[in-house]
Amino acid sequence: GAVVSQHPSRVICKSGTSVKIECRSLDFQATTMFWYRQFPKQSLMLMATSNEGSKATYEQGVEKDKFLINHASLTLSTLTVTSAHPEDSSFYICSALNVAGVTGELFFGEGSRLTVL
Amino acid sequence: KNQVEQSPQSLIILEGKNCTLQCNYTVSPFSNLRWYKQDTGRGPVSLTIMTFSENTKSNGRYTATLDADTKQSSLHITASQLSDSASYICVVTLYTSGTYKYIFGTGTRLKVLA
């Protein structure tokens, strides 16, 4: 099946630094990718929708200047957490939409665990 | 308002037993419904997908049902194994104005005990 690769899987950084997370669709083109945040024992919370070649659409309450999203190609979207703080520590997951597949099938990455010290 | 509700919130069963997870939705226009399994610290993995016209879909020991009239779906796990311990998420897709939108349920956390 289709594979979505997310990197890094774990990252620890100091408060105030920026962290970039990559999401790649390995065997299909994804015009749309989604970024989620997940707290322990909670469901995925959609942060933003990333469209190739255009600006991302952010959900209400998500700071676009804090979470920078770039979708420069049909197989890569990046999420940059700028000036990270301990409250940004979370599990971040991406998903990619395969419009060529079964009724817009959604494939998820393995997630990235961010810990800000 | 488009919503997906899952029950129970959590469930503990003994290995070898069967269980059924529920998903009720109020989503329009409905495109399809998926069940995902999410292991702790991992991304969700698709188990089944059903469109409006499909009533049941199986994937090994997982069987999903869909009643489009009552807007209910269930995921039945047969002969549970320890590896079934995970969160199970129901996701309903709607397709409108050329765009897919995904409505996530809050998930059911299943724990299978030896």
Side-chain angles (χ1 to χ4, degrees), chain A residues 47-110:
Chain A
M47 298 174 65
T49 302
S50 168
N51 295 297
E52 187 266 338
S54 64
K55 291 183 178 180
T57 303
Y58 290 81
E59 295 299 301
Q60 192 173 9
V62 178
E63 300 175 58
K64 61 179 68 176
D65 294 330
K66 174 75 172 175
F67 300 99
L68 299 179
I69 291 173
N70 183 278
H71 193 159
S73 78
L74 287 172
T75 58
L76 174 64
S77 175
T78 60
L79 168 68
T80 301
V81 183
T82 62
S83 187
H85 290 284
E87 58 265 29
D88 298 323
S89 298
S90 189
F91 192 55
Y92 293 89
I93 304 175
C94 72
S95 67
L97 173 58
N98 183 7
V99 292
V102 176
T103 54
E105 186 144 16
L106 203 60
F107 294 92
F108 288 86
E110 286 289 346

Side-chain angles (χ1 to χ4, degrees), chain B residues 23 48 63 71 93:
Chain B
C23 173
T48 64
T63 299
K71 298 187 177 181
T93 306

Side-chain angles (χ1 to χ4, degrees), chain A residues 34 36 38 41-44 46 59 91 93 97 99 102-111 113, chain B residues 31-32 34 36 38 41-46 49 51 89 91 93 100-102 104-107 109:
Chain A
F34 303 90
Y36 309 83
Q38 187 175 35
K41 297 183 180 181
Q42 293 188 23
S43 190
L44 285 73
L46 179 65
E59 295 299 301
F91 192 55
I93 304 175
L97 173 58
V99 292
V102 176
T103 54
E105 186 144 16
L106 203 60
F107 294 92
F108 288 86
E110 286 289 346
R113 168 106 24 222
Chain B
S31 177
N32 57 66
R34 294 182 173 86
Y36 287 89
Q38 184 182 21
R42 308 290 295 275
V45 174
S46 180
I49 176 174
T51 58
I89 305 171
V91 181
T93 306
Y100 286 104
K101 188 171 183 179
Y102 302 88
F104 284 72
T106 52
R109 284 186 285 113

